[in-house]
Amino acid sequence: MGNAIELKGITKVFGEVVANNKVDLTVREGEILAILGENGSGKTTLMNMLSGIYYPDAGQIFVHGKEVSIRSPKDAFDLGIGMIHQHFKLVDVLTAAENIVLGLPGQGKLDRKAISAQIGEISGKYGFEIDPARKIYDMSVSEKQTVEIVKVLYRGADVLILDEPTAVLTPQETDKLFQILKTMAADGKSIIIITHKLHEVMSVSNRVAVLRKGEYIDTVNTPETNPQALTDMMVGHAVTLNIDRPEPRDPVDRLAVEALTCVNGEGVTVLKDVSFTARSGEILGIAGIAGSGQKELCEAIAGLQPVQQGHVYYTPAEEGKDREDLIGKDPMAIRDLGVSLAFVPEDRLGMGLVASMGMAGNMMLRSYRSGKSLLVDRRSPRELAEVVMKQLEVSAPDVTDTPVRRLSGGNVQKVLVGREIASAPTVLMAAYPVRGLDINSSYTIYRLLNEQKEKGVAVIYVGEDLDVLLELCDRILVLCGGQVSGVVEGRTATKEQVGLMMTQVRGKEGAK
């Protein structure tokens, strides 16, 4: 097989930040190449130059051996290169078929029958499940991703770039996607996956290219490497891939949730009769397949989700203070008591941060209330931003002036989590704080959560990775379809046991 793509000496600079420095990279025909690197290592920038979003400041790009100039996404498509972005670019009110042909030169009226037949043919060939007539707003995240992939195939792409394709997929959906990618590679297509999940790299790729701080390090054959070697290449020094778990010291019941039931806007019961206790000085994990009520539970405790019945009793850390019911209090009052929620949503910028503001400004959103003073003191949030920047190694040119939208996804996330920790809470709920983060950053966040635990904070950690939950948490509450399936000890539970509990509720109803 020949080379589908060859990059030579590619350089891209934004202001004072060198995103890519003289990068050389080869992608072969019919292979799956994983591009591995920490947040801000230049992975997405490099691929954005291949897909026509950015233009390199220096270097050459060869497609099937011929030097090319890619000045727009249309140029990239004409060369058979299609990119599936982390945040999908679909029109919600249109059907799958309409999105797939959107922007293509056509003769006025759409021949829906012919389009559907062609989509059916692509789907059948690679194993996609897609209903061309279905509206995008009716689809799950993985279905939307399928539409994006079919869209680039429909346009004739033979090189597909996927940016963090599994960040929002369940383990089952990830397996299905990988099967499809392998089928496509066997058909001669070249697949590039931008990722930093090592076990995925090992299971799906043929070769791995590693970037570090904008520099190209090396490309290795996947069967000849291992997670530890890749980590060391990615970070530049040895990283220990294990998480500390200090024993809880003098745990005290801080939060007692009793028979909590929530119904959403569509009248669906999202939490049913949930009861548990979170203690100071321990990390309570919450496990469950996506959509089992984890989000609603955190939001109900934080006062952001209406509660139909039940109580959330909070016992203040100060001596002699009585416990209070958080139900009925507004989110501000709950935060003032010291109950903090760092929720990293699927769309990091859509929720929680203001994209056009700098880090210091985003810190202010959390730490200031109107009423203190009309002239906000910018010094403290700036100091706060600098502490977060240093502790979490956020790579940004400047804390005040660089808008958050210009930071890489992982750095945005560190700002979100750091802001909550900086507010010195007594209960810290961290929901998906390492979603999409590289190894080094993830371990920094686990370390910070452990530091909070040792300070006597009651930490509630909602996570997707079972291995991490079993290594990090003292106890794990398993949710299944909005109900408590059970609580297990983190030190003795097994992955199989928790996995089984995630799919069936045992309990009062006599369920198996």
Side-chain angles (χ1 to χ4, degrees):
M1 287 279 190
N3 288 338
I5 304 273
E6 201 175 343
L7 305 180
K8 285 186 179 170
I10 295 288
T11 297
K12 184 70 185 168
V13 180
F14 297 101
E16 289 169 24
V17 178
V18 181
N20 293 126
N21 186 19
K22 303 190 184 93
V23 173
D24 298 332
L25 189 73
T26 309
V27 187
R28 296 174 184 158
E29 290 163 7
E31 80 163 345
I32 299 176
L33 176 76
I35 296 192
L36 193 58
E38 295 190 285
N39 297 111
S41 62
K43 307 183 296 285
T44 305
T45 304
L46 192 63
M47 291 303 112
N48 279 340
M49 285 187 276
L50 257 185
S51 61
I53 292 168
Y54 297 147
Y55 191 73
D57 296 331
Q60 299 164 286
I61 299 177
F62 297 85
V63 177
H64 299 298
K66 213 170 91 216
E67 187 169 352
V68 297
S69 171
I70 305 175
R71 293 190 171 270
S72 69
K74 186 186 177 303
D75 286 353
F77 265 126
D78 292 345
L79 291 163
I81 300 168
M83 182 156 172
I84 291 95
H85 295 270
Q86 214 172 345
H87 303 286
F88 305 138
K89 316 249 184 271
L90 296 169
V91 181
D92 259 10
V93 293
L94 299 182
T95 64
E98 287 163 345
N99 268 283
I100 285 164
V101 297
L102 194 65
L104 285 175
Q107 293 76 43
K109 207 165 178 299
L110 290 179
D111 182 348
R112 288 177 194 280
K113 221 168 160 188
I115 294 165
S116 290
Q118 215 174 329
I119 292 170
E121 193 185 319
I122 294 171
S123 302
K125 187 172 181 183
Y126 299 118
F128 291 109
E129 286 167 31
I130 186 172
D131 173 0
R134 197 143 165 232
K135 299 269 199 222
I136 299 295
Y137 59 70
D138 273 340
M139 294 188 176
S140 71
V141 178
S142 79
E143 289 172 313
K144 288 179 190 172
Q145 187 182 59
T146 302
V147 174
E148 284 279 25
I149 296 173
V150 173
K151 187 166 90 178
V152 299
L153 289 171
Y154 186 91
R155 286 149 201 250
D158 58 9
V159 175
L160 282 86
I161 304 166
L162 294 97
D163 189 0
E164 299 279 356
T166 64
V168 289
L169 301 184
T170 66
Q172 293 81 354
E173 289 166 344
T174 298
D175 291 345
K176 199 167 132 194
L177 172 69
F178 285 175
Q179 208 37 63
I180 287 169
L181 295 183
K182 285 174 179 171
T183 309
M184 283 162 57
D187 188 44
K189 303 226 177 270
S190 303
I191 317 280
I192 304 171
I193 293 190
I194 302 176
T195 181
H196 36 226
K197 294 185 180 174
L198 289 171
H199 57 278
E200 292 183 357
V201 170
M202 297 304 296
S203 71
V204 77
S205 67
N206 304 107
R207 294 190 308 145
V208 192
V210 180
L211 292 179
R212 181 167 77 232
K213 293 183 177 158
E215 310 256 344
Y216 168 74
I217 304 300
D218 197 8
T219 301
V220 291
N221 294 326
T222 310
E224 294 161 18
T225 188
N226 60 63
Q228 187 66 60
L230 290 172
T231 306
D232 298 350
M233 274 168 71
M234 203 161 80
V235 180
H237 54 83
V239 174
T240 45
L241 298 179
N242 57 5
I243 304 170
D244 289 336
R245 178 164 37 198
E247 286 291 334
R249 282 202 300 265
D250 313 322
V252 177
D253 290 358
R254 187 66 67 227
L255 207 62
V257 175
E258 292 180 6
L260 197 63
T261 299
C262 294
V263 177
N264 70 9
E266 280 98 55
V268 177
T269 303
V270 284
L271 289 175
K272 186 178 176 191
D273 203 19
V274 170
S275 300
F276 67 92
T277 306
R279 303 177 187 134
S280 66
E282 75 161 10
I283 298 181
L284 174 71
I286 297 183
I289 50 180
S292 297
Q294 302 93 315
K295 174 174 182 267
E296 290 81 3
L297 177 58
C298 290
E299 289 182 348
I301 295 170
L304 299 166
Q305 169 86 22
V307 170
Q308 197 174 32
Q309 61 187 60
H311 302 279
V312 177
Y313 291 113
Y314 168 72
T315 307
E318 297 85 8
E319 288 288 313
K321 280 208 173 177
D322 292 339
R323 71 177 193 165
E324 302 187 45
D325 194 347
L326 299 185
I327 304 300
K329 287 189 175 7
D330 72 1
M332 242 4 157
I334 292 172
R335 290 201 109 145
D336 286 341
L337 283 170
V339 178
S340 175
L341 169 61
F343 181 75
V344 175
E346 290 177 5
D347 172 11
R348 291 178 277 227
L349 283 179
M351 226 177 103
L353 294 173
V354 179
S356 56
M357 260 160 76
M359 268 175 68
N362 273 288
M363 294 288 164
M364 255 156 48
L365 292 180
R366 170 68 187 89
S367 359
Y368 281 83
R369 309 277 180 272
S370 54
K372 254 191 184 176
S373 149
L374 284 172
L375 294 164
V376 172
D377 169 14
R378 277 186 173 288
R379 199 186 61 229
S380 322
R382 192 194 165 93
E383 285 166 8
L384 196 58
E386 276 168 359
V387 168
V388 168
M389 230 177 133
K390 204 166 135 213
Q391 264 207 318
L392 290 182
E393 296 169 5
V394 173
S395 33
D398 179 273
V399 294
T400 316
D401 302 325
T402 307
V404 163
R405 67 160 178 266
R406 278 190 35 208
L407 301 182
S408 74
N411 285 317
V412 164
Q413 207 155 313
K414 293 177 186 176
V415 176
L416 261 176
V417 177
R419 187 177 69 182
E420 297 309 319
I421 289 176
S423 70
T426 47
V427 176
L428 172 65
M429 291 183 283
Y432 312 112
V434 298
R435 182 182 255 157
L437 282 187
D438 58 70
I439 293 173
N440 222 13
S441 306
S442 301
Y443 280 78
T444 305
I445 294 214
Y446 304 145
R447 198 174 66 241
L448 281 170
L449 294 177
N450 269 323
E451 273 174 25
Q452 294 300 302
K453 162 181 164 174
E454 293 195 275
K455 281 182 185 163
V457 175
V459 180
I460 298 174
Y461 173 83
V462 184
E464 289 153 311
D465 190 328
L466 264 187
D467 294 304
V468 170
L469 281 159
L470 289 166
E471 240 188 291
L472 177 71
C473 304
D474 298 292
R475 291 181 304 135
I476 301 167
L477 170 86
V478 187
L479 286 178
C480 174
Q483 292 176 266
V484 175
S485 190
V487 178
V488 295
E489 288 294 323
R491 287 166 178 78
T492 53
T494 66
K495 202 170 166 178
E496 291 68 33
Q497 176 193 3
V498 177
L500 201 62
M501 290 168 73
M502 281 162 70
T503 53
Q504 56 185 38
V505 176
R506 311 185 189 84
K508 302 168 206 166
E509 283 77 15
K512 58 178 187 293

